[in-house]
């Protein structure tokens, strides 16, 4: 081993003017990948003037742990990206703007390496002030956050007893509420009065579901795998609890053969 296959390559965030096709490079000075997994997680401000995105701040030759920070990028190409979270050595990622464009809500870990630390939800006022933890007292590690159109409610995904339910909580303060607990949710999005997400279980691959935020009712929107599942004889699954070391309760799954 003497080099990475990605040496000399750099990510770019581009703006395309749809009527003319003109392309503007919004990160012309960036000399490395935004993320080592190749993904780019960003959100566009409600007025369209800025993009907030997670970018690696660690410079080559990467002798230190990689540090993802949030950067504010002008969409007119007029300025350099501004690091919003230089104080945190851990990961700051998955940002979303509030509907008024004044605040960014995002996911943060405070250590520079993955040591089992839970990922928390934080918010940062773009008009000034320190970042504020929103879920510091909640014993959950969050994987995604979205904001309701009125800016009052956070919609969240977090692992819970071997599944990934959909949760909600007030943006300002309040309790975390489990809205939908069947299976594991992913790729949550909230627009208007509708939330959509992918749901899978141990006996069913992912399908798209619609969730009514007012009632919590869930309806499937796709059945791509229905025909295949009719041909398969899958074993049933059961969850169970048992006593572990020190009397702690441990959760498990039992998968029966077909």
């Amino acid at each position: 081993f003497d080099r990475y296959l990605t040496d000399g390559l750099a990510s770019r965030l581009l703006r395309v003017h749809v009527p003319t096709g003109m392309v503007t490079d919004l990160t012309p000075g960036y000399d490395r990948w935004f993320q080592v997994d190749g993904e780019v997680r960003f959100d566009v401000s409600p007025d369209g003037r800025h993009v907030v995105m997670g970018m690696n701040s660690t410079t080559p030759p990467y002798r230190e742990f990689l540090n993802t920070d949030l950067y504010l990028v002008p969409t007119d190409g007029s300025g350099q990206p501004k690091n919003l979270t230089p104080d945190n050595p851990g990961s700051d990622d998955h940002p979303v703007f509030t509907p008024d464009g004044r605040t960014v809500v995002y996911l943060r870990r405070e250590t520079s390496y993955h040591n089992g630390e839970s990922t928390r939800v934080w918010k940062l006022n773009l008009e000034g002030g320190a970042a504020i933890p929103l879920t510091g007292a909640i014993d959950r590690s969050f994987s995604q956050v979205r904001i309701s159109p009125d800016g009052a409610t956070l919609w969240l995904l977090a692992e819970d007893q071997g599944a990934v339910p959909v949760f909600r909580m007030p943006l300002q303060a309040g309790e975390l509420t489990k809205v939908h607990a069947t299976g594991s949710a992913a790729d949550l999005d909230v627009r208007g009065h509708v939330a959509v997400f992918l749901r899978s279980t141990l006996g069913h691959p992912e399908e798209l579901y619609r969730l009514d935020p007012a009632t919590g009712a869930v309806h499937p929107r796709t059945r791509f795998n229905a025909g295949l599942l009719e041909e398969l004889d899958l074993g049933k699954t059961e969850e169970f609890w048992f006593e572990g070391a020190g009397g702690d309760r441990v959760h498990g799954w039992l998968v029966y053969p077909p």
Side-chain angles (χ1 to χ4, degrees), residues 55-58 65-69 83 85-86 88-92 112:
M55 295 169 58
N56 169 40
S57 292
T58 305
F65 290 104
L66 299 186
N67 176 19
T68 300
D69 283 316
N83 191 342
T85 57
N88 181 37
S91 173
D92 301 288
S112 58

Side-chain angles (χ1 to χ4, degrees), residues 148-150 155 189-196 210-217:
S148 62
D150 63 4
W155 290 88
D189 203 358
V190 179
R191 301 296 173 95
H193 299 290
V194 173
V196 293
R210 176 186 183 274
L211 184 149
D212 184 341
T215 64

Side-chain angles (χ1 to χ4, degrees), residues 3-87:
R3 66 185 181 89
Y4 290 100
L5 294 178
T6 55
D7 285 351
L9 299 181
S11 301
R12 287 288 182 267
L13 183 67
L14 305 177
R15 187 199 69 193
V16 178
H17 186 250
V18 176
T20 64
M22 180 180 295
V23 177
T24 302
D25 186 353
L26 302 183
T27 54
Y30 197 76
D31 61 355
R32 50 199 180 275
W33 281 34
F34 294 146
Q35 303 277 358
V36 293
D37 59 9
E39 292 190 22
V40 182
R41 291 173 281 271
F42 67 91
D43 194 27
V44 181
S45 64
D47 62 8
R49 296 175 59 188
H50 292 90
V51 170
V52 62
M53 61 185 300
M55 295 169 58
N56 169 40
S57 292
T58 305
T59 57
Y62 308 118
R63 293 190 176 95
E64 304 296 331
F65 290 104
L66 299 186
N67 176 19
T68 300
D69 283 316
L70 298 185
Y71 284 81
L72 193 65
V73 184
T75 56
D76 61 1
S78 63
Q80 292 296 315
K82 176 184 177 182
N83 191 342
L84 300 175
T85 57
D87 58 314

Side-chain angles (χ1 to χ4, degrees), residues 98-236:
T98 54
D100 62 11
R102 298 178 180 178
T103 301
V104 172
V105 179
Y106 62 100
L107 303 182
R108 165 177 281 196
R109 291 198 309 269
E110 296 186 89
T111 52
S112 58
Y113 54 92
H114 188 66
N115 64 347
E117 174 192 357
S118 292
T119 301
R120 309 293 188 185
V121 182
W122 288 61
K123 70 175 180 179
L124 177 65
N125 190 328
L126 297 178
E127 297 176 347
I132 300 173
L134 299 177
T135 62
I138 299 175
D139 185 21
R140 291 291 181 276
S141 186
F142 295 90
S143 57
Q144 194 174 359
V145 57
R146 290 291 183 264
I147 304 176
S148 62
D150 63 4
T153 304
L154 297 180
W155 290 88
L156 307 145
L157 301 183
E159 186 175 352
D160 182 66
Q161 297 181 11
V164 182
V166 178
F167 294 91
R168 70 181 173 201
M169 66 175 289
L171 174 60
Q172 299 304 325
E175 295 185 0
L176 184 70
T177 302
K178 189 183 300 185
V179 179
H180 179 70
T182 301
S184 293
D187 294 322
L188 173 70
D189 203 358
V190 179
R191 301 296 173 95
H193 299 290
V194 173
V196 293
F197 62 96
L198 298 177
R199 190 185 80 179
S200 64
T201 66
L202 290 176
H204 201 295
E206 286 183 337
E207 297 281 7
L208 182 67
Y209 282 77
R210 176 186 183 274
L211 184 149
D212 184 341
T215 64
V218 170
H219 306 280
R221 307 310 300 165
T222 63
R223 292 180 174 84
F224 294 124
N225 299 289
L228 175 62
L229 290 173
E230 290 178 357
E231 301 174 4
L232 301 177
D233 183 17
L234 300 177
K236 69 175 182 177

